[in-house]
Amino acid sequence: MDKTSLLASSQRQMNRAMSAWCTSDNDMAVLHGGIGTEHLLKALLAARHPSLLVDGRDFNSLLHATGQSTHAASPETKVKTIGALDAFKRAAVLIAMPVKERDLDPLLTVRNGVAHLGAHDYAITHDALAIAVTVADAVLTDLQEDIPTFWGAWADGRLDLEQMQQRAQITAEQVIEEAGVEAVDEAESEYWADGLLEAMAEDFRSENFQAAQIAVAVKVRCAKKLYRALYYGKTPEEIAKADIVEPDVDRSEFGQCLYRPVKCPVCGADGDVHASLGNQPKHSYRKKKRARLRRNRGEFPDYFDCYTCGLELDNRYELEVLGMAEPSQNGWFAN
């Protein structure tokens, strides 16, 4: 419940929102944008005092927030905090907000729609994200945080979301034509040029795989820009100390699944590949030939997250593009 961790979380979420917007992944754009806005509002409250974050009806939460944890009957991990709307209301008392409570409704509505119903009105995606940007800039100004540093690769484009999306799509198409993406490390340039977005004759005919190639091209470039903005000029030791580590959480609620630690192909930090345990797809398109493969139960990778540079891969096809997953008799993870 401190300003620093909430600010860092908000930055990661906003980066993912902008990246998703640039690849026309509207659901993820508003989901991450809504979460990022909520965490940033709570960072503002925490900067005043942690007690401003908690639900006043829960006394144990108040004890934790006021430094009286030894008297609390429940652990700090069960602290009850206020929601996004209440966070906005409280923040609006402390600073002059550029938007009204009713203006925030589109953002909260679409975020909740994705989180609880798996859908939202795409017609208001742009307006919802624009509100998130406006609120974020106001809060960052109050916290005396450097706005360009917070937004990183999105610092210029955030004020014209439509143009930013169009430019990203044009860039992605150019990257596909060039069949490669500039490497983070010059020593790895040959690997990226030859392997990152190489169009495989059969797989490239798959609409899902082609869409994944375009999405990965944009995501890798954006993650690289954010990483350079955050860590430019720092030594490897300083970068290692600054790497953001996601705290351990109870993952049992996600059902049968597993997490495998994987080095991020952009920044080299540790990330997570999440895989469901269940029935596999009935077929997959392999390199150089099309084969129908049937399996019973195994590992099915769903997504990859890097908490340091913000690279986020959202499905098996995107994982395949970067060589993190491939069909095999032992499951879908590349050996």
Side-chain angles (χ1 to χ4, degrees):
M1 292 191 297
D2 62 279
K3 166 195 165 184
T4 301
S5 61
L6 285 164
L7 187 63
S9 176
S10 175
Q11 186 178 33
R12 293 197 302 272
Q13 296 295 339
M14 289 300 197
N15 173 68
R16 292 168 181 170
M18 296 296 105
S19 177
W21 167 251
C22 285
T23 57
S24 299
D25 189 350
N26 290 345
D27 282 353
M28 290 301 100
V30 296
L31 179 63
H32 290 304
I35 295 173
T37 301
E38 179 176 346
H39 288 185
L40 196 50
L41 289 167
K42 289 181 176 179
L44 183 148
L45 298 176
R48 265 65 173 187
H49 197 279
S51 62
L52 296 177
L53 294 178
V54 302
D55 184 341
R57 297 169 296 181
D58 188 82
F59 186 58
N60 288 318
S61 297
L62 284 173
L63 288 173
H64 285 297
T66 54
Q68 304 296 318
S69 297
T70 56
H71 301 289
S74 59
E76 189 173 1
T77 53
K78 293 188 176 181
V79 165
K80 295 181 180 179
T81 62
I82 57 176
L85 182 58
D86 285 334
F88 177 83
K89 290 179 180 179
R90 293 184 183 185
V93 173
L94 300 174
I95 69 172
M97 282 290 182
V99 298
K100 302 296 183 182
E101 180 182 329
R102 63 177 179 274
D103 300 321
L104 196 69
D105 183 68
L107 176 62
L108 300 185
T109 297
V110 294
R111 186 199 69 167
N112 293 338
V114 174
H116 302 297
L117 298 176
H120 79 280
D121 182 1
Y122 284 5
I124 61 175
T125 301
H126 173 275
D127 292 343
L129 281 182
I131 292 169
V133 170
T134 300
V135 172
D137 284 357
V139 173
L140 290 169
T141 299
D142 177 79
L143 293 175
Q144 296 184 342
E145 295 290 331
D146 185 67
I147 292 179
T149 299
F150 176 88
W151 288 107
W154 318 108
D156 295 329
R158 78 188 194 285
L159 300 178
D160 191 338
L161 294 173
E162 290 185 359
Q163 186 180 60
M164 183 174 72
Q165 186 183 65
Q166 292 170 1
R167 287 179 175 176
Q169 291 172 350
I170 292 173
T171 298
E173 292 172 0
Q174 292 173 342
V175 170
I176 292 298
E177 291 177 1
E178 297 168 0
V181 176
E182 177 190 359
V184 176
D185 187 337
E186 291 300 326
E188 298 177 345
S189 60
E190 182 177 352
Y191 164 77
W192 288 96
D194 293 341
L196 178 60
L197 295 175
E198 180 182 359
M200 296 182 288
E202 292 298 324
D203 278 338
F204 198 77
R205 294 172 188 168
S206 164
E207 291 184 3
N208 287 333
F209 194 83
Q210 184 176 5
Q213 289 180 306
I214 296 174
V216 169
V218 174
K219 290 180 178 182
V220 166
R221 282 203 167 184
C222 292
K224 285 165 49 185
K225 288 181 179 179
L226 178 63
Y227 185 73
R228 285 170 173 165
L230 293 175
Y231 300 108
Y232 179 77
K234 294 189 176 182
T235 65
E237 292 76 16
E238 290 174 325
I239 293 175
K241 291 181 180 179
D243 278 349
I244 299 170
V245 178
E246 191 74 356
D248 291 334
V249 296
D250 180 8
R251 290 162 166 165
S252 60
E253 64 180 288
F254 299 107
Q256 286 189 304
C257 62
L258 59 84
Y259 288 78
R260 291 199 178 188
V262 177
K263 291 293 184 183
C264 175
V266 169
C267 67
D270 289 330
D272 266 343
V273 170
H274 168 278
S276 301
L277 300 178
N279 294 328
Q280 304 305 299
K282 293 183 178 180
H283 67 277
S284 173
Y285 296 105
R286 302 291 303 275
K287 183 176 181 179
K288 295 185 179 179
K289 71 174 182 179
R290 190 168 296 174
R292 184 170 294 275
L293 303 175
R294 295 184 181 274
R295 297 181 178 80
N296 293 320
R297 292 176 63 81
E299 300 173 3
F300 181 64
D302 299 314
Y303 59 81
F304 168 79
D305 262 343
C306 176
Y307 307 111
T308 300
C309 68
L311 179 65
E312 185 179 75
L313 307 176
D314 296 312
N315 55 59
R316 176 179 65 82
Y317 294 100
E318 293 185 9
L319 289 165
E320 280 188 289
V321 170
L322 290 179
M324 293 183 178
E326 64 179 68
S328 71
Q329 293 299 329
N330 298 322
W332 288 84
F333 282 97
N335 294 325

